[in-house]
Amino acid sequence: MRNWIHKVVCAALAAGLLLAAGAAGAADLKILNVSYDVTREFYQDYNAAFAAYWKEKTGDSVKISQSHGGSSKQAQSVINGLEADVVTMNQPLDIDVLQTGGRLIPANWATRLPNKSVPYTSTIVFVVRKGNPKNLRNWDDLVRPDVTVVIPNPKTSGNGRYSYLAAWGYALRKAGGDEKPAREFVAKLFANVPVLDTGGRGATTTFADRGIADVLLTFENEAALVQKQFPDDGLAVVLPPVSILAENPVTWVDHNVQRHHTEAVSRAYLEYLYSDAGQELAAQHFFRPKNQTILARYSTRYKPLELFTVNEVAGGWRKAQQVHFADGGIFDQIYQPHK
């Protein structure tokens, strides 16, 4: 009897030790994704998918918090102390500044993930009122005197910069590379902009909620979301024949993940964007996945259009920032705020 009791006690102690070890081995992790204005809904779904994947793979729980706003304002917030573990932006410029302005990441950050750390792309499209009463089809229609346009501020929003450069690139190509007509064209366009919101979601509110303007320029994913959120308004999406390629880069923030001890989970969080599950979610939220097989499944959703790059029409993002968006640049010279 004593031997039997001894064996039971030992077995119970061993089981208790195993449970304790398992509990000690599991971790509750937290990371912060600092992103731009119009990715909220995508990352809500993506975060849940990744958390389930990470739990199954490692046994650890991870809670992902989100922060959203105009992309340049978000980047500056990280430099000023917002402790992002990862940043998911809509242009390389707003990640480069984390290195040049804060030394938070290495200069070669774009080489650490596939496709120059760009897991999905987008483009700029038009959202118009029910029935498209102004018959807005192409960029030339937006500079007519009877048309008003909502665009976010290019000084604070990547959405706004892409919209500006899409118009600039269209006019530049139409003029055979002559910058004078391109400058005149974007000046006419912004003369039709009654208000500049700081980010893409604010511009959506101005157009859809407040009913201001005839057309909204925004990313393709935001355009689809506007239609979904305002089904009774009959808003339509118009794809111009030519627009700009919007590349959406991501990276982990080395300075912060080292302090938070979250480098492994932060890196995995971004790598999962390239998985079939991550690419599928991106496509479902109207981002264009880099995985061509998954993109092909959505061929009826993503109509073909000619896309030019920031390099082709502005010499790259650094030059674009200096020439067009820095204080005293072309945008400041051509934009006259409405009184």
Side-chain angles (χ1 to χ4, degrees), residues 113-134:
L113 292 169
N115 306 319
K116 297 182 179 179
S117 292
V118 176
Y120 50 81
T121 65
S122 190
T123 189
I124 295 295
V125 300
F126 306 166
V127 183
V128 298
R129 301 291 175 191
K130 185 176 182 179
N132 195 7
K134 295 291 180 75

Side-chain angles (χ1 to χ4, degrees), residues 8-282:
V8 170
V9 170
C10 288
L13 286 172
L17 288 171
L18 285 171
L19 287 171
D28 292 322
L29 304 171
K30 295 180 181 180
I31 62 173
L32 172 62
N33 174 10
V34 173
S35 193
Y36 58 104
D37 236 351
V38 299
T39 60
R40 289 175 176 84
E41 292 73 17
F42 166 54
Y43 277 110
Q44 285 171 1
D45 287 351
Y46 178 80
N47 291 346
F50 175 76
Y53 157 79
W54 190 248
K55 181 72 171 179
E56 182 178 356
K57 180 180 179 179
T58 68
D60 294 342
S61 298
V62 58
K63 179 181 179 181
I64 305 105
S65 299
Q66 299 175 224
S67 172
H68 299 272
S71 58
S72 294
K73 291 183 67 177
Q74 289 290 85
Q76 191 59 50
S77 294
V78 175
I79 292 172
N80 291 343
L82 181 60
E83 296 201 0
D85 296 277
V86 299
V87 290
T88 55
M89 297 300 193
N90 57 35
Q91 57 175 318
L93 195 66
D94 287 331
I95 296 185
D96 282 337
V97 72
L98 302 185
Q99 197 279 322
T100 59
R103 299 294 188 267
L104 301 177
I105 59 175
N108 70 339
W109 64 267
T111 67
R112 303 190 297 187
L113 292 169
N115 306 319
K116 297 182 179 179
S117 292
V118 176
Y120 50 81
T121 65
S122 190
T123 189
I124 295 295
V125 300
F126 306 166
V127 183
V128 298
R129 301 291 175 191
K130 185 176 182 179
N132 195 7
K134 295 291 180 75
N135 193 30
L136 305 175
R137 303 292 177 188
N138 206 340
W139 294 95
D140 286 319
D141 297 322
L142 306 188
V143 299
R144 292 179 354 216
D146 65 325
V147 172
T148 51
V149 186
V150 169
I151 303 174
N153 191 338
K155 303 276 283 188
T156 58
S157 165
N159 189 324
R161 278 194 284 276
Y162 275 116
S163 295
Y164 171 105
L165 289 173
W168 173 270
Y170 166 79
L172 190 67
R173 296 178 77 179
K174 184 178 179 181
D178 188 345
E179 292 193 358
K180 183 178 179 182
R183 183 186 180 111
E184 293 171 352
F185 184 86
V186 293
K188 287 181 181 179
L189 174 61
F190 278 89
N192 287 348
V193 177
V195 59
L196 286 178
D197 292 286
T198 58
R201 188 52 57 86
T204 294
T205 298
T206 294
F207 177 77
D209 252 355
R210 297 172 60 195
I212 293 175
D214 302 302
V215 56
L216 167 70
L217 298 193
T218 193
F219 290 124
E220 193 170 31
N221 70 296
E222 180 73 353
L225 187 64
V226 173
Q227 287 183 299
K228 182 178 179 180
Q229 290 183 334
F230 297 89
D232 297 332
D233 290 1
L235 302 175
V237 176
V238 174
L239 272 66
V242 61
S243 192
I244 196 164
L245 177 66
E247 297 183 293
N248 307 140
V250 301
T251 194
W252 59 92
V253 184
D254 300 68
H255 176 78
N256 292 340
V257 298
Q258 289 163 11
R259 293 174 57 248
H260 300 161
H261 306 291
T262 56
E263 183 169 356
V265 66
S266 297
R267 179 168 184 157
Y269 177 78
L270 298 179
E271 290 173 339
Y272 193 66
L273 286 168
Y274 294 85
S275 70
D276 287 353
Q279 293 282 283
E280 185 74 30
L281 273 174

